[in-house]
Amino acid sequence: MTADPHAGPAAGPATADLAVVGAGPAGLAAAGTAAALGLGVVLLDAGERVGGQIHRHPAPEELPRAARPLVRRLRGVRHRPAHHVWTVVPDGDSWLLHCVAGPDETAATVRARAVLLATGAYERHLPFPGWTLPGVVGAGGAQAMLKSGRVLPGRRVVVAGSGPLLLAVATTLATAGARVPAVVEAAGYTAYARHAGTLARNPGKLAEAAHHGSGLLRHSTRLLTRHAVTAAHGTARVEAVTVARVDRDWRPVPGTGRRVPCDALAVGHGLVPQLELATGLGCLVRRTADGTPALAVDAEQRTSVPGVWAAGETCGIGGVGLARTEGELAALSIARALSPARVVTGGDRRRAAALTRRRARLRAFADAMAAAHRPGPGWTAWLDDGTEVCRCEEVTADRIREAVTTLGARDARTVKLLTRAGMGWCQGRMCGQAVARLAGEDPAPDRRPLSCPVPLSHLAQPPGAA
């Protein structure tokens, strides 16, 4: 059966050789490759349409050109859109994936012999005074608004934070008609000079940067490196931001702050791998070059849990090319594991070797990128006492500092127990990184028994039941 990327949720359980969780570039590449190798594949995704965040599109007929080859390869794949996988549990020699499906939040279960996690990432948010004002949105969120709804966050938009996503967001917004007076980058691009060999082996990345740079020049957008937005100002909506020069530790340099008028701020400090399903299974994690946890995988994308593979941003932020490469590699490995009698041809070996080389090259660039844009410890100096760090529970910076300096908290968990930071609706996805840094530790991997909100009626059936 040819996959219908826009079909509604399927009724009843499904069985498959392979269940792929996530329909971004990694998941699409893995599902298509595995199906071509003869495996029965179910592709589960929380979104209504395939493509993930990078290929987000407003209507089925407007699938981005870059994603079309991946979708064409889904022949035979059973796609289950609007399926939020909330837990994965072992059941004999297979896995049960429990889902919340569709707008009616019905229960759905998939049984598979192997699981590939391609759950992507979410934005890292570092708070600052005024970040809760209307008109302040995530950098990726601004891009999603434009891609899915053709809506600009404002007419005069400052883009700020750190990471290469900022350049793409600024170019996209300016092309769509927004005035982008500045891209405010807290890191310095000179850090890439330490990785000259890696840059030389990835000329496509340099061409991409040049494309965005020329776009900024064409729209008269200033690129301010070693600068940060340290405050947003306004009443009913953001009206201006303070931009200050920062040192190498991201501490504001006194006397350098100036106001920039705007009616929107798109701000983001990189991406964080989404790991709830993986950590719930007990998969081992590693620290990336920017200090965030990511899944540890071997040369064939296998996690530490037998029968579970991973690919894409789940394994560390690296972009669409790396995600597709890892997805294909994982599919080849899964096919060998599930069909040991399958004859491995010379073409198979050459394909795997080429993918392995490409992954090493792209992963090296990803590591260089992460190191260059790693948040400096001095960003906490942006926070005044009244800055809300946890928006859901309205926990301010002074309460967290009091928990650390006066009440003896030495980790994010203790801060959470003393202040309720991270106990709100988002369960720490927005504030978790910031709370950990204020507590003086590296952010821990997300560990949650449920990866998304689940109706109580779903929990009445034991997770191991078919």
Side-chain angles (χ1 to χ4, degrees), residues 77-78 144 169 335-336 413:
V77 174
R78 287 167 287 167
V169 170
R336 286 193 297 270
R413 176 177 171 78

Side-chain angles (χ1 to χ4, degrees), residues 53 123 137-148 151 153 165 169 266-267:
Q53 297 300 321
E123 286 193 85
V137 299
Q143 199 170 45
M145 290 170 64
L146 191 56
K147 286 182 176 181
S148 61
V151 176
L165 176 63
V169 170
V267 59

